[in-house]
Amino acid sequence: MENQRKNHVPHCLVLPYPLQGHINPMLQFSKRLVQQGVKVTLVNTISIWNKINKNNLDLNSIEIESISDGYDNGGLSSAENMESYKETFWKIGPKTLSQLLQKLQSSNNPVDCVIYDAFLHWTFDVSKSFGIPVGVFLTQACSVNNINFHAFEKWIELPISKSEIILPGLPKLEASDLPSFLYQYGTYPGYFDILTNQFSKIDQAEWVLVNTFYELEPEVVDWLAKKWRLKTIGPCVPSMFLDKRLKDDNDYGISTFGPNSEACIKWLDNKPKDSVVYVSFGSLAGLSEDQTKEIAYGLRDCEMYFIWVVRDSEKGKFPKEFLDLSLEKGLIVNWCPQLQVLTHEAVGCFVTHCGWNSTLEALSVGVPVIAMPLWTDQITNAKFIVDVWKIGVKGIADEKGVVRRETIKDCITDIMETEKGNEMKKNAVNWKSLAKIVVDEGGSSDKNIVEFLNELTL
Ligand code: UDX
């Protein structure tokens, strides 16, 4: 019996919410587990697996399985709206996950732990009905989780009536620094529901794993760790970009938008050090036509090289004449290997929507930021980028909510050409060193992963 236990290969089922920004970090975390000798089954919806070119995906022996969200031929984008997507997914997801667990539990190597994205909170009950321990995986910053947790507990009054918000473990915040679903309460009820329900069973989970690192948000991590069995395990960024052990790992994450554009790297190879502005607004959010135009002309007016990721769904918003004008100085791509681009020495700054992955990536590879948050946690991340981690400036929007071309030009110039910009670059490089330390052997995140595995195999 004892010997059988010794030879047992622990098996984790990992279930991210079906969005690029959630699958990427949970895939990277899965790879860390595989590296430690764990068998991982990565589960996602049929429509996500259909979208991803698996030939481009280096899975390091991770196995893939599917559940259904009820939209097998298109996922969220084929649903009428977010609310109906969620309603259908919440009905069909638990049933199909249950069928999958039934199959896996009667196999030779049943699942020892289900690590699920907190967005899919119903996974707790499904897993427990099979008697399986769970790890809740939080894909956003601890600071943001703490704010959303306060909303879930109704410790923040909604709609917000105060102008200043004081919460444990966090600096003083303006109401407008809160995630948009709270500050603009009522705007997206479907997302509000998902974000607050993340915490519904969290205090009963065996583990709470957060994609952040201790040194980035120590006070709030300490505060939440008094409530939950919390372990910081980030940044979940492919190891090769942090110069560490998995040097042969050639994976840049997943792409649900077609092949990565290698053209970017060739183009960057011919540019001087720190001369290129990299612009990307992530995988989900759309810009207004007005905002797209202002970015286009802001980039033109600052007369610097740039790479701008414009997803196909956003192309129609482009000022037509800009495509001709931009050819000399800029490269516009549908998608790119973002980490490879950010680590290229030609890139001098990152104009970003401040999605949590992009934020962690900028911090982990030492690139200063121009923060142009759009909604959700991005607003709060931008506050921390500027005031706490001090790696960037914020593009302030006008009364119509648009960051104008002059502001964009000034922000880029500030970062690329001034002493203030140099300071931010230095700060970013300091965070990069810390990110390397925490994931390297004996670092805070590495220790937490080892501890989690020791507890799992007890
Ligand atoms: C979403 C939410 O918008 C974000 O606020 C939340 O924190 C996570 O989920 P998304 O908008 O896609 O994420 O942004 P982000 O979190 O930054 O994730 C985007 C990922 O796609 C990053 O890992 C980035 O490296 C990758 N990416 C982006 C590419 O690989 N290539 C690109 O061209 C653009």
Side-chain angles (χ1 to χ4, degrees):
M1 195 64 188
E2 183 70 358
N3 269 349
Q4 260 179 17
R5 188 73 204 158
K6 258 191 210 153
N7 296 331
H8 176 73
V9 175
H11 182 185
C12 292
L13 181 149
V14 177
L15 174 60
Y17 186 79
L19 271 183
Q20 173 95 28
H22 290 240
I23 302 171
N24 263 4
M26 291 186 79
L27 170 64
Q28 295 314 323
F29 179 66
S30 300
K31 290 188 167 195
R32 287 279 163 84
L33 296 183
V34 169
Q35 207 194 348
Q36 304 276 347
V38 175
K39 174 183 160 78
V40 175
T41 300
L42 184 65
V43 179
N44 223 272
T45 57
I46 294 168
S47 63
I48 282 285
W49 291 135
N50 285 344
K51 264 190 219 165
I52 294 171
N53 180 352
K54 295 199 202 71
N55 296 331
N56 282 350
L57 196 60
D58 176 7
L59 285 169
N60 281 11
S61 82
I62 293 170
E63 288 187 17
I64 281 187
E65 288 281 0
S66 306
I67 58 168
S68 176
D69 54 8
Y71 295 88
D72 295 346
N73 292 320
L76 175 61
S77 52
S78 64
E80 202 182 312
N81 55 41
M82 172 57 200
E83 277 66 39
S84 44
Y85 176 74
K86 198 195 111 210
E87 199 179 316
T88 310
F89 191 5
W90 269 212
K91 264 190 217 136
I92 297 184
K95 281 189 199 143
T96 51
L97 176 63
S98 203
Q99 284 157 5
L100 174 63
L101 282 174
Q102 189 90 50
K103 180 180 98 177
L104 295 173
Q105 293 318 77
S106 50
S107 71
N108 296 336
N109 196 181
V111 171
D112 298 297
C113 174
V114 171
I115 299 170
Y116 68 92
D117 191 322
F119 275 29
L120 303 171
H121 66 90
W122 38 261
T123 307
F124 181 92
D125 286 334
V126 178
S127 309
K128 289 295 169 187
S129 71
F130 286 86
I132 308 173
V134 297
V136 180
F137 192 103
L138 291 162
T139 53
Q140 298 185 333
C142 250
S143 306
V144 167
N145 289 315
N146 190 23
I147 298 169
N148 287 332
F149 175 58
H150 274 73
F152 168 74
E153 293 286 7
K154 303 203 168 31
W155 295 336
I156 294 182
E157 206 183 309
L158 294 171
I160 308 274
S161 54
K162 295 183 182 149
S163 57
E164 267 181 12
I165 310 291
I166 300 188
L167 299 178
L170 299 179
K172 195 179 344 165
L173 300 170
E174 308 269 321
S176 56
D177 295 325
L178 296 182
S180 63
F181 303 126
L182 303 190
Y183 180 53
Q184 294 163 342
Y185 179 62
T187 42
Y188 290 90
Y191 279 116
F192 176 81
D193 197 51
I194 291 181
L195 282 158
T196 46
N197 276 318
Q198 291 185 98
F199 310 104
S200 59
K201 296 282 167 64
I202 203 162
D203 52 345
Q204 295 169 51
E206 279 79 1
W207 299 278
V208 177
L209 308 165
V210 197
N211 183 19
T212 186
F213 55 100
Y214 180 75
E215 291 72 0
L216 209 49
E217 336 176 67
E219 290 91 4
V220 70
V221 171
D222 286 341
W223 193 80
L224 285 173
K226 286 186 200 139
K227 306 205 162 294
W228 313 326
R229 298 191 188 104
L230 186 145
K231 293 187 192 303
T232 52
I233 46 77
C236 293
V237 169
S239 321
M240 60 185 294
F241 295 103
L242 303 171
D243 295 343
K244 65 174 294 281
R245 287 164 285 166
L246 272 181
K247 291 272 197 266
D248 55 341
D249 177 354
N250 63 357
D251 172 58
Y252 308 120
I254 61 144
S255 167
T256 45
F257 297 96
N260 283 334
S261 168
E262 276 167 28
C264 294
I265 305 304
K266 281 207 184 114
W267 187 88
L268 284 169
D269 283 343
N270 297 321
K271 303 291 176 286
K273 189 168 182 298
D274 287 336
S275 68
V276 178
V277 181
Y278 170 60
V279 188
S280 167
F281 291 86
S283 65
L284 196 62
L287 297 173
S288 67
E289 216 168 305
D290 201 7
Q291 183 63 82
T292 310
K293 191 166 155 197
E294 292 303 312
I295 294 171
Y297 285 102
L299 288 169
R300 182 203 60 183
D301 294 347
C302 74
E303 297 182 350
M304 288 183 202
Y305 293 118
F306 65 89
I307 293 185
W308 186 0
V309 179
V310 183
R311 303 192 311 273
D312 283 341
S313 55
E314 295 284 287
K315 289 245 158 79
K317 297 172 184 171
F318 249 74
K320 286 206 175 54
E321 70 283 7
F322 182 73
L323 284 176
D324 300 328
L325 282 174
S326 73
L327 287 180
E328 247 174 64
K329 284 271 180 182
L331 182 68
I332 295 167
V333 292
N334 161 40
W335 193 247
C336 78
Q338 177 161 303
L339 271 157
Q340 242 181 324
V341 167
L342 282 176
T343 43
H344 198 290
E345 65 165 19
V347 170
C349 75
F350 181 13
V351 179
T352 171
H353 69 316
C354 308
W356 184 234
N357 295 290
S358 295
T359 303
L360 267 184
E361 288 163 13
L363 283 158
S364 306
V365 302
V367 176
V369 155
I370 289 143
M372 287 183 52
L374 302 169
W375 68 333
T376 180
D377 60 329
Q378 297 155 17
I379 317 287
T380 316
N381 298 339
K383 158 82 182 167
F384 278 76
I385 284 173
V386 175
D387 291 343
V388 180
W389 304 317
K390 299 187 191 316
I391 62 156
V393 292
K394 185 171 172 187
I396 306 288
D398 67 5
E399 66 289 349
K400 288 188 175 154
V402 175
V403 186
R404 293 293 162 194
R405 61 189 74 179
E406 301 77 22
T407 309
I408 295 171
K409 179 181 170 223
D410 289 349
C411 287
I412 294 175
T413 316
D414 260 7
I415 295 273
M416 299 284 265
E417 291 179 348
T418 68
E419 195 38 48
K420 183 173 148 200
N422 266 342
E423 277 304 308
M424 287 173 195
K425 169 86 187 164
K426 271 191 216 150
N427 294 339
V429 170
N430 282 341
W431 286 114
K432 171 183 167 171
S433 314
L434 260 177
K436 258 191 234 170
I437 293 171
V438 300
V439 295
D440 223 335
E441 222 159 316
S444 56
S445 293
D446 182 68
K447 268 207 241 160
N448 284 341
I449 293 177
V450 171
E451 228 176 72
F452 158 66
L453 289 174
N454 287 341
E455 289 165 16
L456 179 65
T457 48
L458 266 185

